[in-house]
Amino acid sequence: MKRLILALVFASAGCGAPTQAPPAQPPTVESAVAHTAPSGAYSLDKSHASLIVRLSHMGYSQFTARFESWDARLDLDTAAPENSSIHVTIDPRSIAADNPPPGFIDIMRGADFLDAARYPEISFRSTLLERTGPNTARVTGELTLHGVTRPVALDVRFNGGYAGMELDPNARVGFSARGVFNRSDFGMAYGIPPEGSNMGVGDAVEVIIETEFSGPAWAPAEGPTPTP
């Protein structure tokens, strides 16, 4: 047994930590997404768009809901993206969730939360776009919700685009966006847990957006006239 212990000790000594740390890997530099999308006015492709909201349910899960009726207009400047702008409108009555208990959606539409009868539209209008990387930007805008207007920021990623093709004869671009705001800032404090407790529905609302937009009509390049 002593011999076995000595052998293990010497083996461990021979496999000690390297005397020199491995060289640090250089950070990965992201390249701009290649695209052929032109500048111009774009409308939301509702078949390829989703607007999700999530908030804490007693700290046990992130309750997830979605708006099924919404629209957006994008004025895109591909040469100077910071000059682009977007305007979004949402129907609060269209809020939906998977497997909601009976009457739950009516509660979300009602006076304690969205109060959709009194405030029938939610809107977001961009006021500032700041580029944060080759394909990313921070978009700040005015969110009007529950009759209150406050600034909210979204982190946006440009996923690419093209000028059009035979099967899709309009320009197309795609974006992903995320942001967080407190619903209490918009007068919706019902159900927020008291300090030191999770018993309720969280104040912070996470917004997750996936979009595609359809833009200017595609003009196919004219080739040489074929020789008969």
Side-chain angles (χ1 to χ4, degrees), residues 48-113:
H48 298 94
S50 60
L51 174 51
I52 305 296
V53 292
R54 304 198 316 168
L55 61 167
S56 172
H57 177 247
M58 300 195 301
Y60 295 152
S61 68
Q62 292 295 306
F63 171 72
T64 302
R66 63 187 177 276
F67 290 98
E68 296 183 326
S69 179
W70 61 292
D71 206 352
R73 299 194 313 270
L74 169 67
D75 289 316
L76 180 63
D77 187 336
T78 56
E82 60 275 8
N83 294 330
S84 303
S85 63
I86 189 167
H87 181 210
V88 181
T89 56
I90 305 163
D91 183 350
R93 296 165 296 185
S94 71
I95 195 165
D98 295 332
N99 308 306
F104 180 70
I105 296 300
D106 289 334
I107 292 174
M108 295 180 72
R109 294 170 178 157
D112 288 330
F113 286 94

Side-chain angles (χ1 to χ4, degrees), residues 11-37:
S12 299
C15 297
T19 57
Q20 185 175 0
Q25 296 298 317
T28 302
V29 178
E30 184 179 28
S31 300
V33 173
H35 71 90
T36 57

Side-chain angles (χ1 to χ4, degrees), residues 181-199:
F181 65 87
N182 290 331
R183 62 187 178 95
S184 61
D185 291 341
F186 294 86
M188 292 187 294
Y190 182 82
I192 294 176
E195 188 174 352
S197 171
N198 288 329
M199 295 303 294

Side-chain angles (χ1 to χ4, degrees), residues 90-212:
I90 305 163
D91 183 350
R93 296 165 296 185
S94 71
I95 195 165
D98 295 332
N99 308 306
F104 180 70
I105 296 300
D106 289 334
I107 292 174
M108 295 180 72
R109 294 170 178 157
D112 288 330
F113 286 94
L114 293 171
D115 203 357
R118 188 177 178 190
Y119 306 110
E121 183 177 275
I122 301 168
S123 68
F124 177 84
R125 188 185 298 274
S126 65
T127 55
L128 177 66
L129 190 153
E130 302 169 285
R131 298 188 70 177
T132 56
N135 307 303
T136 58
R138 190 165 180 83
V139 177
T140 302
E142 293 183 342
L143 175 64
T144 299
L145 169 64
H146 200 250
V148 178
T149 300
R150 288 185 176 274
V152 167
L154 299 172
D155 293 314
V156 180
R157 171 170 288 276
F158 174 56
N159 298 322
Y162 54 68
M165 63 176 74
E166 219 169 291
L167 295 176
D168 187 14
N170 285 82
R172 179 173 296 273
V173 290
F175 298 88
S176 302
R178 286 177 179 259
V180 178
F181 65 87
N182 290 331
R183 62 187 178 95
S184 61
D185 291 341
F186 294 86
M188 292 187 294
Y190 182 82
I192 294 176
E195 188 174 352
S197 171
N198 288 329
M199 295 303 294
V201 181
D203 189 10
V205 179
E206 181 184 16
V207 181
I208 304 168
I209 305 169
E210 293 293 333
T211 60
E212 291 184 26

